[in-house]
Amino acid sequence: MSGSRPAGWNCDAPRATGIGLRGAHHRDWLEGRGRAGWLEAHAENYFAAGGALPAILDRLRCDRPLALHGVGLSLGGIDPLAPSHLTAWRRLVDRHDPCVISEHLCWGANSGVHFNDLLPLPYTEESLRHVAERITQFQDAVGRRVLIENVSSYVRFAESTLTEWEFLAELVTLTDCGLLLDVNNVYVNAINHHFEACDFLNALPSAAIGEIHLAGHARTTVEGATLCIDTHDREICADVWALYAHAVRRHGRKPTLIEWDAALPSLATLEAEAARADAIAYGIERATHD
Amino acid sequence: MTELAATQHAFAAELLATTRPAGGMGVYHDNHRANVRQALELAYPALRRLVGAQYFAQLVAQYRVGTPSRSGDLHHAGAGFAPFVHAHFSTPDAAARYACLGDVAALEWAWQEVFVAEDAPTLEPNALASIAESSWPALRFRLHPACRLVGSRYPIHALWIANRDAAGDAAVDLDAGAEYVFLTRPQHEILVRRITSAAFEFLRALQARTTLAEATERACAVDSTFDLLATLVDTFRAGAITQCATELAPLGSAAQNT
C-alpha cells in the first residue's frame, strides 16, 4: 500500500523523548536553552497566515525534528471536515515538513458550533465507518499518514458495541493510519470506566504505534465516585510511569512525548520527565537484549 | 437521523444548556466554558484588567451564548467579542464613558489580527523617487495586510498601554480626548503608533484605495496643517506600504515587488 503513497507519507519521530512546544517556552527554545529529542506543536496554534508564529516553527525546525499535533479537526464529528481547516493543515505540513502528524479519536463540533474540546465517541460500527472515512479524507488532504490518539473520557455511551481498543485497532486496519498511544489517557479511562489498563495496551497492534504521550492528570470525586481528569497540569504519576514501562515491554521502544498544558513549569521540569522516559525505555531495551 | 448524529446533537445540547449536567458531563460543560474564557483572556488582557476578572467572565458567558465558537482554531472565537463589548456598553443605560471599553476591545482585536496577518513585501520611501512627480496625485497605495486603524473619542492608546499587562498602573484621564492608533507588522515585530486625526483620515483613505490627491484632501479637511510629505515618509518607513502605482497590480503579483 505504501508504494503508491507520496514521498514522506510515513515518517518517524526520533527515539529520544520529545517535549510539547508551548508559547510560554518559545523564547527558551529559540535561545537554545532547551534540550529534547524533538518538539511537538499544536497545529492550530500555528495556523497564522504569517508573522512570528510560523517563523518560530521555521527556526525551531532547524534545531530538531518537529511533529504537528491537531486538536481541532473534529474527526469524529457529523459536520463535514472544514475545507479551510484542511487547507491550513496542508499549508503547515508543506512549510514545516513535520516528522509526524497526529489527531484525536474524538469530535469537537456540532451544527457549526465548536466546543474546542476532545469529546468522546460511541464505539459502534457506524462510528467506525464514519471515522475511518474521515481519517482517509484527512490523510489524502495533507499527504501524510496520521497517527490517531486515544482521548480521556468522563462519560460512556450505552450504544457502544466495541471497546475503545478494539475500535482503535479496527481503524488501523481500515485506514492504514498509525496510533498515538496516550498512556495517561488509557490510565484515566481505566479508572473512570473500570477496566484493566493492561487489557487496553495489550490489544493494540505494536507496529501501528508511532508515538506515545505522557502527561499528568487530576483525581477528584464526583457524586461519590473517583473521576480522573486529563489536566496536563502536573507531573506524571507513578502508576502512569509503570504503565509506560508496560507499554514499552509489550510494544517496544516508541518515540515518546511529554505533554504539559496548564500551570506550565520551567523547561527543566519537562526535561527531567523526558530523561526519565528515556531511562525507562533504555532500561527495558537493555534487559530485552541481554 | 443516524444514531451517531442523534448522540452528538444530544451531547451538544447538554454542553450548551445553562444548567450544569451531573456526573462526567459536568466536566465537559466546565471545559467548554473555560476554553472560551481562556482564549478571550489571552486576546483581551487590557479589557479584562479594566473591567476586572469577574465582570470579564460574565461578559464572556453572555457572548458565548449569543456567539458560539465557529472554528476548530480558537483564535477565531475572539473575533466577535470586540463588537459584542461595544454593543454591550452602547445601550442607553450604560454610562457614557464605558463606551471607551468597546474601543479598547477593538484595539486589542486589531492587535490580534496584526499578529497573524499574512507576510508581504514592503517598499522604502525611495520607491516614490522612481515615479514622475506629475503622476503623484493619481497614485494609489496597497497597504501591508497587517495594517489596522482604530480611532476613538477616548484615549484608547493610553488605556491600552496602561492595562495590557498587570504591571502597568499609569492613571489615565478619560477626558484627555480622542486618540487614533495605527498598527502594522512590517516583519515580525508589531508596531503600534499613536497618530493624528488627519493622518488617521489619510491612511483610512489610502487603505480604501483612493488616489493620493483624494486622501490628502480628506486629511486637510480634518486639519489644514496636515503635513503630507512627513506622513507619507513615516508610513513608508513603518513598512506599511507594499505597492504604489497609478494602477495597482492585482494581488499575487505584489510578491514580485520585493
Side-chain angles (χ1 to χ4, degrees), chain B residues 18-110:
Chain B
T18 45
T19 325
R20 186 184 186 277
M25 274 305 293
V27 177
Y28 292 112
H29 197 261
D30 296 344
N31 279 353
H32 170 48
R33 278 147 188 77
N35 290 338
V36 175
R37 196 189 66 243
Q38 284 160 9
L40 294 177
E41 281 173 355
L42 283 175
Y44 295 93
L47 177 69
R48 179 171 182 265
R49 192 156 185 262
L50 282 163
V51 302
Q54 208 174 349
Y55 194 79
F56 188 84
Q58 284 176 35
L59 279 174
V60 171
Q62 287 180 43
Y63 168 68
R64 185 181 44 72
V65 173
T67 317
S69 171
R70 294 279 170 190
S71 169
D73 176 358
L74 251 180
H75 169 77
H76 300 296
F81 192 58
F84 168 84
V85 172
H86 189 268
H88 183 86
F89 291 112
S90 303
T91 56
D93 47 332
R97 50 192 14 222
Y98 286 155
C100 70
L101 295 169
D103 295 342
V104 170
L107 177 55
E108 296 205 279
W109 188 253

Side-chain angles (χ1 to χ4, degrees), chain A residues 51 76 110 114 116 126 159 223, chain B residues 2 7-9 23 35 69 119:
Chain A
N110 185 259
H114 274 259
N116 305 104
E126 184 199 357
E159 64 261 41
E223 289 145 32
Chain B
T2 66
T7 299
Q8 292 187 9
H9 288 319
N35 290 338
S69 171
D119 297 322

Side-chain angles (χ1 to χ4, degrees), chain A residues 9-129:
Chain A
W9 175 263
N10 192 7
C11 300
D12 288 317
R15 284 161 59 86
T17 295
I19 292 178
L21 175 65
R22 304 295 178 258
H25 294 142
H26 276 160
R27 188 166 290 276
D28 284 331
W29 291 115
L30 287 169
E31 292 173 3
R33 281 194 290 275
R35 282 175 294 118
W38 48 294
L39 295 175
E40 183 170 271
H42 285 173
E44 285 79 0
N45 288 354
Y46 299 86
F47 272 6
L53 289 172
I56 286 170
L57 291 193
D58 287 340
R59 170 70 189 77
L60 294 179
R61 172 73 182 67
C62 298
D63 295 338
R64 46 178 72 75
L66 174 76
L68 294 174
H69 185 49
V71 295
L73 186 61
S74 192
L75 264 179
I78 294 300
D79 296 350
L81 291 178
S84 59
H85 207 97
L86 293 175
T87 306
W89 247 112
R90 177 74 199 217
R91 196 177 59 211
L92 214 55
V93 167
D94 287 345
R95 178 162 175 171
H96 303 295
D97 188 23
C99 58
V100 159
I101 67 163
S102 52
E103 245 290 352
H104 296 86
L105 176 57
C106 72
W107 61 286
N110 185 259
S111 306
V113 176
H114 274 259
F115 298 101
N116 305 104
D117 198 358
L118 310 173
L119 304 172
L121 284 161
Y123 302 124
T124 63
E125 292 293 333
E126 184 199 357
S127 300
L128 188 60
R129 285 192 306 276

